[in-house]
Amino acid sequence: MRGRFAALSHRLYFHPGVRIVVGDGRSFVRATGERYQVLRVTLANARTSAAAGALALTENNLFTTEAFSDYLTHLTADGIMAFTHRRFDRPWESLCLVALAKAALRLNGDSDATGNVIVVRDAAGGGTARTTVLVSRSPFTRADLALVRRRTAAGHLKLVYLPGDGSGNRFAELLSNKSVVSGPWHYRAGVTLATDNKP
């Protein structure tokens, strides 16, 4: 990005406000004393590697209850986490991310996560569609929700879960249930909370 692809990235990595750190994201977050407005994880697991079985014996501590708690504590008061991954035809991965966010919010003293999560996906759908889960340290405001509605409409995205939409979908059920992970879809999908001891 600082050489061959500098122009394609609009020379983002030369911006004076950009600092490049090469390392494990979780370790970096735990070691820093700084707080951030946005922590973003995009397409962390390559589908080709997963399909080939290359990650079959690899533990991933980026997506555990404790990891999400670490991320939350390193956000500013108005900060958000954003996780983007592929596929939505079987939304178990998105449900797992929301369950982890709910558990982490509870660890950080927020017993009601229904206002802290937004889920959007590509309107086209299909096997290559991308889904993004947004998690806010504080509940999203009315202004935030209005902005999300406008941006999703303009960007050809579909709202899957928005606080207060009353859609009654799986995400709303998961977030409104007193248990962190429960419901009939949990048993069918095998959605469980990953921990550092069991990633």
Side-chain angles (χ1 to χ4, degrees):
M1 292 299 181
R2 293 172 67 93
R4 181 178 176 187
F5 300 112
L8 291 174
S9 61
H10 301 282
R11 301 186 66 81
L12 173 65
Y13 293 86
F14 292 91
H15 191 280
V18 172
R19 178 167 55 105
I20 299 171
V21 177
V22 178
D24 175 73
R26 172 92 182 273
S27 298
F28 172 79
V29 166
R30 294 190 87 174
T32 184
E34 296 182 52
R35 291 181 182 266
Y36 301 91
Q37 192 170 28
V38 177
L39 290 177
R40 180 158 181 75
V41 178
T42 304
L43 307 174
N45 296 325
R47 290 291 174 188
T48 50
S49 300
L55 303 176
L57 300 177
T58 302
E59 295 178 341
N60 188 341
N61 72 353
L62 287 175
F63 303 104
T64 67
T65 304
E66 294 88 351
F68 274 53
S69 182
D70 287 341
Y71 305 151
L72 282 173
T73 58
H74 285 83
L75 287 176
T76 58
D78 63 343
I80 63 169
M81 302 185 293
F83 301 90
T84 300
H85 61 92
R86 290 189 177 94
R87 294 184 68 100
F88 189 80
D89 50 341
R90 296 179 181 175
W92 315 133
E93 191 171 345
S94 299
L95 286 165
C96 282
L97 289 172
V98 171
L100 287 168
K102 179 179 177 180
L105 284 162
R106 188 171 288 184
L107 283 175
N108 284 274
D110 193 339
S111 59
D112 181 9
T114 56
N116 299 65
V117 175
I118 293 173
V119 182
V120 298
R121 71 175 173 90
D122 292 350
T128 59
R130 288 174 295 183
T131 303
T132 298
V133 176
L134 301 173
V135 182
S136 177
R137 181 169 181 174
S138 304
F140 288 103
T141 65
R142 288 185 180 180
D144 294 333
L145 301 181
L147 177 62
V148 169
R149 286 190 181 95
R150 290 196 303 272
R151 292 289 173 87
T152 51
H156 307 291
L157 299 171
K158 181 175 180 180
L159 285 169
V160 178
Y161 174 79
L162 194 71
D165 69 357
S167 61
N169 62 27
R170 291 171 176 166
F171 294 93
E173 292 170 13
L174 169 61
L175 287 165
S176 62
N177 197 295
K178 290 182 180 180
S179 175
V180 175
V181 179
S182 65
W185 58 266
H186 158 60
Y187 302 106
R188 183 169 66 253
V191 175
T192 58
L193 288 175
T195 66
D196 283 350
N197 290 332
K198 191 177 179 183

